[in-house]
Amino acid sequence: MFRNTRFWVLGVLIIGLLSWGACGGDDASSDEPIRIGLLHPHTGALAGLGVDMTSGYEHYFEEEGMVIAGRPIEIIVEDSEGNPSVGLDKLKKLIERENVDIVAGPVSSGVAYGIADYIRQSEVPIFITQATANGLTQGDRAPNIFRTAFSSDQLHLPMGEYYVNELGYSKVAGLALDYAAGHEHLTAFKNALERAGGEMVQELYPRLGETETSTYITSIKADEVDAVNAILWGATAVPFVNQQHEFGLRDRVPLTSLGSTVEDQLELPNQLPEAAEGIISYLAYCLCLETPANNAFKTSYEAAEGKLPNYYTAIAFTGAKALGEAIKAVDGNVSDREAFLAAAREVTFDGPMGPFSYDEYQNPVINVYVREVKIGADGEAYNALVDTIENVDQFWGMSQAEKDALLNPS
Amino acid sequence: MSTPPTGRSPRPWGLAPGNPLGDAIASLTGRRRFFLWAVVGAVVVLVILPQLPFVDTYWTGILSRMLIFAIFAMSLDLLIGYTGLPSLGHAAFFGAGAYSAGIFYKDLLCPDRGECVAVVGNFWFALLLGIAISGIIAALFGLLVLRTRGAYFIMITLALAQMLWAITWGWRSKTNGDDGLSVVFEPGAALPSSFNAEAFFYVVLGFFVAATALMYLIVKSPFGQALQGIRESETRMLVLGYNVWLYKYLAFILAGIFAGVAGSLFVYLNNFVSPLDIWILPSAEAFLMVVLGGPGTLFGPAIGAGFIVFLENFLSDYTERWLLILGIIYVVVVLFAPRGIFGIARSEWVRKIVRDTFGGRQPVAAAPDRQLKPHTQLKEDEPGE
Amino acid sequence: MDIWFTHTLNGLSFGMLLFLVAAGLSLIFGLMRVLNLAHGSYYLLGAYVGITVSRETEMFWLGLLAGMASICVLGILMQKLLLDRYMHDEMAQILVTFGFLFIIADVALWIWGGHPQSIVKPSLFDGSVQIGSIQYPVYKIFLLGLGLILAIGMGLLQEKTRVGAVVRAGVDDEEMTRGLGINVPIVFTAVFGLGALLAGAAGVLGTANTAVGPAYDFEILVFAFVVVIVGGLGSLRGALVGAIFIGLVDSYAKAVIAEFPGTLSPTLAQVTIYAPMAIVLALRPNGLFGRAS
């Protein structure tokens, strides 16, 4: 039995292949590099954001020479595909097989929720680079979950008062994408508007990825509102701005938006300048910021990558810096988790998006910038700074009762 | 019991002459003996695998995933390989199982974390409900899709799966939309927490063995033989007096139920399910698993599933171009291995190795080849149901 | 009522775009019995080629031409090198065309990145016209007209010319047509190329009005599937009626949901395009204009 050599050769080959594939890295000692697992979508519908964010994240560590506090930095990138199941698998791989010390990512809120339970049990520190789902730093918060971007609510909280008092728009029609993040964004704006005494007259939710926006533009009750707020991004934002121009929407009602509807380097280059000109928008970043930190970032990023950074690279760069500063604060000793988490909470610095610090729930306090689309001498559209609202945290303007309800959901 | 065959065939270990089991095994021909050894060997390997030093918890999790997708791929093989129904939306039933098991557990049995109606057995109850819902949805979809054939069948299965995807996305109050449904199963819900990868693996292995055995019995039964008859020629089966529609309908429901088993286990593995688990990609991957393994071989698709899951996770160390590689595999399989891995396994040189290794009385080539011909023509011109 | 007039125009112009994609899918199937799952990818790739060329040259029409030509060549290559071998092998067709769906999606992501992009409309069709009390984009009216002209043109080609007669003969009885000494393989290749070309053209024309990004290939494919299920595979008239019908249903459903917020999720409203499909299937399993069995 089993005397055939080919049988044995095949068996040995298969076992060899399996064990080669299954062998992972060994435990890291203090002389070894700090291993950072980066979980970003590089394929799938969110690939554009993910690739840019990885680029911004790596740019920070490259600027630091890939060494922080004397310890070399190793970044292991895994593609979450923007898919929670895949993201969970890849996270397990990063933690159980690659033995990463720290996880950064994800971009999608779905992936963030998909990995939340696992990350809580594993106790590995995670620095969420983008996923804005409110719960992650509220009802579902955990000591090892940090967010370096902002929550969905946060961008909109101060805008209620701003719309009613500064812009004079108290009746608004809103558009947001029909998925979890879109609903969170528009609901946050609606609540803020109502807190300030305004009224949300109409809510429209185009499908995520919808590119045929004419129906929604036609449906806007332009005669009954003071302004439209388009909280869109990506594949829906580009045609929306172009098509509303053709339909003459702005002849009937002013158009405002979340910054991501008309963002420099992203949507704006694909929109007709005359269609976007004059749109007031708000976001946690503006390429136009003339702060030393943003100017330095723009210069070094352009020198390294050959193109200007965008909103997502700026967010990722800020997140990487928040992590880097935390590693510096413990002098590279990230294996003492308690000390590392305590030091990470205290991180403050001036980044491209403005001053950075965490609130007590490990979500940053941000600046919200109000901008206006202008047309430059070269005929290209760009956003110019109009106003800055400083020190906005994730509960800005809320009552204690509202805050408690968010922090301790039943 | 017949006398043992010629001396080339050694008796199985420890079974003296006269022992009925030993005689039975010894009387098998080379091909069947190989099959028996392969099954026993595969189970033994699977039982031992998580204990090996180089298989860490990550790979144990991947092994669980392989087994779950093996059940899924085998259930699709009941349709593609045995009945000749090329479904491109099979993930619908996988997702239906996952979502219903999750929702039932979360909303019905454990409305608040830790305050379950009755902790022990809840998971099993949720699992059963998940499987039942998959079966019901398959029964509903079956009424529609079986009115069509060929290209229409492909399109309608894909479109119906998309519809279910849209429902999981849009029915936010129950499914939590695209944020996905997070289901934390309480430890003590009759099963070990899935955080214990190893224990969960053995649970999945149990399901895998049971599901495989059941499906094997189905395809070998007169019912399964009739399905294969339908695959070859519906007209002939109609003439022979079979209720072709009913057979196809039952096959569609059975396939949905087994996909539901896989889906329900999947939500327990991940504690999570999202609309993307119903989307086109899982359906397409399952389709590839079946064709890669060899449609109509049942075990082939299981191997195909293991291969695809392994490759996807293995390659992510080296490249992000998984979709590109997947696409190339599709084309390469068609060009070079249209009968799948099992098709290669049945080629002459592999058979010779099997004969040399396991002995046997007669050349295996004489055994009837029940391999699916990859020529399932579009039967547009045949009468409808 | 003006609003519903606008919704109707929106639905019609979207329907015309769907017609361009579905007509190719349907014709290819009718003649060759090949269900091309990569047909949506032709739209995507055509759009991307159009974007690059029209950006480099700043000429929209050159972009359109490049998009059409490149996709036509790709389609012919796919048909000649791969699909031709598997004329009657349904399983192989699914695998090859699905393989190309993935390959094209990933290569496009690789080359053009994941951010959505758009094409600048030709200045000829910039701006809008006043119809009664409403303002409507000229470009959408152009799309509507172009779709109608193409539909009529293709209908005439199929019904009145020798080429059309050969194609119809091929659809009805391939062997007999071959027996008459007609070079059927060339007809096959030509029709496949034409179908691909139409999808590529739809990609460029559609993107000029909207945007294109990852996953749009699949979105278009599902829409095209529903259109041909409703209209019937292999029928040009079916593709036209199905496309207009689905375009209108899609537009009205979105509008109704916008009128009654909070009742239905718009994504769930996608189900509204499946409902007519299910009804048609229940009544006529081969679609409205598909050939009866």
Side-chain angles (χ1 to χ4, degrees):
Chain A
M1 185 176 287
F2 302 126
R3 69 188 74 150
N4 190 296
T5 22
R6 265 179 291 185
F7 182 90
W8 289 109
V9 170
L10 204 68
V12 169
L13 268 178
I14 290 170
I15 291 174
L17 208 69
L18 273 175
S19 44
W20 175 55
C23 277
D26 290 319
D27 282 4
S29 74
S30 59
D31 293 312
E32 299 218 325
I34 296 177
R35 295 164 72 81
I36 300 170
L38 193 55
L39 190 65
H40 277 166
H42 283 199
T43 58
L46 291 171
L49 283 66
V51 170
D52 280 351
M53 295 201 70
T54 301
S55 155
Y57 217 82
E58 288 179 336
H59 179 67
Y60 168 77
F61 290 103
E62 278 156 17
E63 248 188 359
E64 298 281 324
M66 296 309 279
V67 176
I68 296 217
R71 283 189 69 179
I73 299 292
E74 197 178 324
I75 299 178
I76 300 120
V77 184
E78 281 288 350
D79 176 15
S80 73
E81 300 172 19
N83 177 339
S85 301
V86 176
L88 183 60
D89 268 0
K90 299 288 172 71
L91 180 76
K92 285 180 179 169
K93 183 178 190 177
L94 287 172
I95 290 178
E96 293 172 26
R97 211 176 122 222
E98 304 286 353
N99 292 308
V100 296
D101 300 290
I102 295 153
V103 177
V107 170
S108 141
S109 292
V111 175
Y113 276 126
I115 65 176
D117 284 317
Y118 180 86
I119 207 89
R120 236 176 262 136
Q121 294 182 63
S122 73
E123 294 178 356
V124 174
I126 184 168
F127 291 77
I128 296 171
T129 46
Q130 162 76 7
T132 60
N134 294 322
L136 294 167
T137 50
Q138 295 175 1
D140 293 312
R141 68 190 183 278
N144 60 330
I145 299 181
F146 290 77
R147 170 156 48 205
T148 52
F150 39 78
S151 74
S152 301
D153 282 359
Q154 218 170 338
L155 298 169
H156 307 280
L157 289 174
M159 295 321 291
E161 278 185 16
Y162 196 87
Y163 269 57
V164 174
N165 300 335
E166 304 288 327
L167 299 173
Y169 303 146
S170 46
K171 287 183 170 181
V172 181
L175 290 98
L177 296 169
D178 182 33
Y179 76 121
H183 280 265
E184 278 194 357
H185 276 267
L186 190 50
T187 309
F189 179 76
K190 180 187 177 188
N191 291 341
L193 194 67
E194 285 170 0
R195 251 178 237 126
E199 187 195 348
M200 199 73 188
V201 176
Q202 192 181 18
E203 290 169 58
L204 295 169
Y205 285 101
R207 206 156 44 81
L208 179 66
E210 179 75 83
T211 58
E212 184 48 67
T213 54
S214 336
T215 308
Y216 299 101
I217 294 164
T218 311
S219 296
I220 290 172
K221 293 174 179 155
D223 309 330
E224 301 174 25
V225 295
D226 302 330
V228 175
N229 186 10
I231 303 171
L232 305 171
W233 42 86
T236 312
V238 171
F240 177 79
V241 170
N242 287 338
Q243 292 181 342
Q244 61 79 26
H245 182 62
E246 295 174 320
F247 277 97
L249 178 72
R250 283 166 67 203
D251 300 337
R252 297 153 64 203
V253 63
L255 176 61
T256 63
S257 79
L258 181 68
S260 57
T261 309
V262 285
E263 184 55 14
D264 300 270
Q265 302 294 316
L266 293 165
E267 286 82 10
L268 265 188
N270 287 296
Q271 290 159 337
L272 301 170
E274 63 270 27
E277 187 184 7
I279 294 180
I280 299 276
S281 68
Y282 53 95
L283 200 61
Y285 179 67
C286 181
L287 194 64
C288 61
L289 288 180
E290 291 290 339
T291 58
N294 192 39
N295 283 336
F297 171 60
K298 281 196 284 193
T299 314
S300 78
Y301 189 85
E302 194 174 12
E305 305 290 329
K307 59 178 179 189
L308 277 172
N310 61 33
Y311 168 50
Y312 298 111
T313 45
I315 292 175
F317 181 86
T318 307
K321 194 167 165 79
L323 173 56
E325 294 294 322
I327 296 173
K328 284 178 193 164
V330 291
D331 206 22
N333 181 17
V334 293
S335 45
D336 182 353
R337 277 200 187 138
E338 284 307 311
F340 174 65
L341 293 180
R345 284 173 201 126
E346 302 305 319
V347 163
T348 56
F349 60 89
D350 271 328
M353 299 165 72
F356 183 95
S357 65
Y358 291 107
D359 67 9
E360 56 185 309
Y361 307 100
Q362 295 163 195
N363 185 67
V365 179
I366 59 170
N367 285 352
V368 175
Y369 302 100
V370 182
R371 314 100 41 97
E372 183 181 353
V373 178
K374 297 223 158 114
I375 297 189
D378 55 356
E380 304 283 328
Y382 69 98
N383 278 294
L385 191 64
V386 173
D387 217 335
T388 303
I389 302 161
E390 292 180 341
N391 287 322
V392 179
D393 75 354
Q394 56 180 334
F395 305 109
W396 200 91
M398 288 188 197
S399 68
Q400 190 60 38
E402 283 173 299
K403 189 174 160 181
D404 287 343
L406 290 175
L407 284 169
N408 304 304
S410 56
Chain B
M1 282 296 128
S2 60
T3 48
T6 54
R8 275 206 65 195
S9 241
R11 299 194 65 81
W13 307 299
L15 297 175
N19 180 315
L21 180 63
D23 284 346
I25 295 174
S27 71
L28 294 172
T29 61
R31 181 164 165 270
R32 303 214 157 186
R33 183 180 303 218
F34 170 70
F35 180 69
L36 188 73
W37 280 118
V39 168
V40 173
V43 173
V44 169
V45 167
L46 284 172
V47 169
I48 293 175
L49 218 47
Q51 307 299 335
L52 297 179
F54 58 78
V55 180
D56 51 25
T57 52
Y58 168 72
W59 279 106
T60 309
I62 295 297
L63 283 172
S64 303
R65 184 178 259 263
M66 286 179 184
L67 292 182
I68 288 172
F69 275 87
I71 298 175
F72 183 37
M74 285 190 291
S75 76
L76 182 57
D77 193 29
L78 291 181
L79 289 182
I80 298 179
Y82 287 95
T83 324
L85 295 172
S87 166
L88 259 189
H90 206 50
F93 311 115
F94 181 86
Y99 265 102
S100 11
I103 291 173
F104 276 125
Y105 187 89
K106 206 173 171 172
D107 287 2
L108 209 65
L109 304 172
C110 293
D112 296 309
R113 276 188 188 184
E115 290 181 26
C116 302
V117 182
V119 170
V120 175
N122 270 351
F123 170 72
W124 300 98
F125 191 51
L127 189 85
L128 273 179
L129 283 170
I131 295 166
I133 296 284
S134 293
I136 291 169
I137 291 180
L140 286 175
F141 281 13
L143 291 174
L144 268 183
V145 300
L146 288 182
R147 293 183 63 83
T148 64
R149 60 186 67 244
Y152 283 99
F153 184 86
I154 297 170
M155 293 190 295
I156 188 85
T157 47
L158 195 150
L160 285 177
Q162 271 309 100
M163 189 175 87
L164 216 57
W165 169 85
I167 290 173
T168 58
W169 186 288
W171 194 8
R172 310 174 66 83
S173 57
K174 278 280 169 240
T175 63
N176 206 18
D178 61 293
D179 265 351
L181 185 71
S182 176
V183 189
V184 180
F185 291 98
E186 299 302 321
L191 279 179
S193 158
S194 64
F195 209 63
N196 181 348
E198 202 173 278
F200 183 67
F201 171 78
Y202 287 112
V203 173
V204 175
L205 184 59
F207 271 97
F208 171 72
V209 170
T212 310
L214 267 174
M215 280 190 262
Y216 186 75
L217 288 178
I218 288 171
V219 300
K220 291 293 168 194
S221 70
F223 173 75
Q225 300 297 327
L227 291 184
Q228 293 170 60
I230 291 169
R231 181 191 73 204
E232 295 307 325
S233 167
E234 269 187 42
T235 321
R236 193 173 64 206
M237 296 303 280
L238 275 172
V239 171
L240 288 173
Y242 283 87
N243 184 344
V244 168
W245 182 85
L246 187 65
Y247 274 83
K248 280 160 75 174
Y249 189 55
L250 289 176
F252 196 79
I253 295 175
L254 278 173
I257 286 175
F258 280 107
V261 172
S264 307
L265 287 172
F266 181 76
V267 74
Y268 196 68
L269 168 74
N270 270 356
N271 287 337
F272 191 82
V273 55
S274 85
L276 283 170
D277 295 317
I278 293 193
W279 206 52
I280 179 68
L281 197 58
S283 284
E285 282 188 348
F287 198 96
L288 180 62
M289 288 165 185
V290 172
V291 180
L292 185 64
T297 60
L298 198 62
F299 299 101
I303 295 170
F307 179 73
I308 294 286
V309 173
F310 172 78
L311 203 65
E312 181 168 14
N313 286 281
F314 179 71
L315 285 179
S316 79
D317 281 357
Y318 307 100
T319 175
E320 283 161 1
R321 304 259 78 91
W322 168 241
L323 222 48
L324 181 61
I325 290 166
L326 200 65
I328 292 171
I329 294 175
Y330 272 77
V331 179
V332 167
V333 164
V334 171
L335 287 178
F336 299 106
R339 293 173 154 211
I341 296 171
F342 257 40
I344 297 171
R346 286 174 184 221
S347 59
E348 205 35 53
W349 65 275
V350 178
R351 286 184 174 177
K352 188 170 179 308
I353 296 174
V354 171
R355 267 206 309 281
D356 291 354
T357 316
F358 294 94
R361 283 174 300 187
Q362 56 209 1
V364 190
D369 189 349
R370 267 191 244 96
Q371 170 71 44
L372 167 74
K373 288 194 291 293
H375 296 282
T376 334
Q377 296 195 10
L378 295 175
K379 295 166 190 158
E380 285 301 311
D381 45 354
E382 281 190 22
E385 49 95 14
Chain C
M1 274 301 91
D2 285 349
I3 280 194
W4 294 98
F5 179 64
T6 316
H7 286 316
T8 307
L9 282 181
N10 290 340
L12 286 176
S13 79
F14 183 54
M16 283 308 154
L17 211 58
L18 288 181
F19 167 71
L20 291 187
V21 183
L25 187 74
S26 190
L27 268 183
I28 289 170
F29 182 84
L31 191 59
M32 282 162 264
R33 293 279 178 276
V34 170
L35 182 64
N36 186 9
L37 296 167
H39 211 70
S41 314
Y42 293 166
Y43 179 101
L44 181 90
L45 204 57
Y48 276 130
V49 170
I51 287 171
T52 302
V53 172
S54 63
R55 262 198 202 146
E56 292 303 316
T57 62
E58 295 192 351
M59 285 159 75
F60 173 82
W61 301 109
L62 209 58
L64 177 65
L65 210 63
M68 280 160 49
S70 57
I71 301 306
C72 181
V73 169
L74 174 74
I76 287 173
L77 285 179
M78 262 178 76
Q79 198 270 339
K80 271 271 161 224
L81 299 181
L82 284 164
L83 290 171
D84 202 30
R85 299 181 187 201
Y86 304 107
M87 277 299 288
H88 295 289
D89 185 346
E90 190 181 40
M91 206 71 91
Q93 290 168 6
I94 298 175
L95 287 174
V96 168
T97 54
F98 228 132
F100 271 89
L101 173 74
F102 289 151
I103 292 172
I104 293 173
D106 210 40
V107 168
L109 178 64
W110 207 352
I111 298 176
W112 284 281
H115 292 300
Q117 295 176 41
S118 184
I119 304 178
V120 180
K121 281 194 309 281
S123 50
L124 184 61
F125 299 112
D126 224 351
S128 38
V129 289
Q130 202 73 27
I131 309 173
S133 63
I134 57 163
Q135 190 178 345
Y136 203 78
V138 175
Y139 187 73
K140 278 187 170 301
I141 294 170
F142 158 69
L143 276 187
L144 221 165
L146 183 74
L148 276 179
I149 290 168
L150 275 176
I152 293 167
M154 281 166 67
L156 287 177
L157 188 75
Q158 200 180 27
E159 298 296 327
K160 305 281 180 204
T161 65
R162 197 184 127 72
V163 180
V166 169
V167 171
R168 271 183 293 141
V171 172
D172 285 337
D173 191 336
E174 186 206 322
E175 263 172 49
M176 186 65 105
T177 317
R178 220 183 270 268
L180 289 171
I182 291 162
N183 189 344
V184 175
I186 283 193
V187 177
F188 280 9
T189 309
V191 168
F192 205 101
L194 177 70
L197 179 141
L198 285 175
V204 184
L205 291 168
T207 307
N209 196 33
T210 59
V212 71
Y216 206 65
D217 45 354
F218 183 63
E219 195 147 309
I220 279 286
L221 182 70
V222 173
F223 265 112
F225 273 7
V226 177
V227 167
V228 293
I229 289 175
V230 169
L233 269 173
S235 155
L236 205 56
R237 193 180 304 154
L240 182 65
V241 172
I244 290 176
F245 181 64
I246 293 301
L248 286 176
V249 167
D250 183 63
S251 181
Y252 289 147
K254 284 192 270 189
V256 168
I257 284 166
E259 286 299 315
F260 304 101
T263 48
L264 256 185
S265 143
T267 309
L268 204 54
Q270 218 186 7
V271 177
T272 52
I273 66 165
Y274 298 114
M277 176 188 79
I279 293 168
V280 168
L281 265 184
L283 300 175
R284 289 184 65 99
N286 287 318
L288 293 175
F289 294 91
R291 284 182 307 152
S293 45

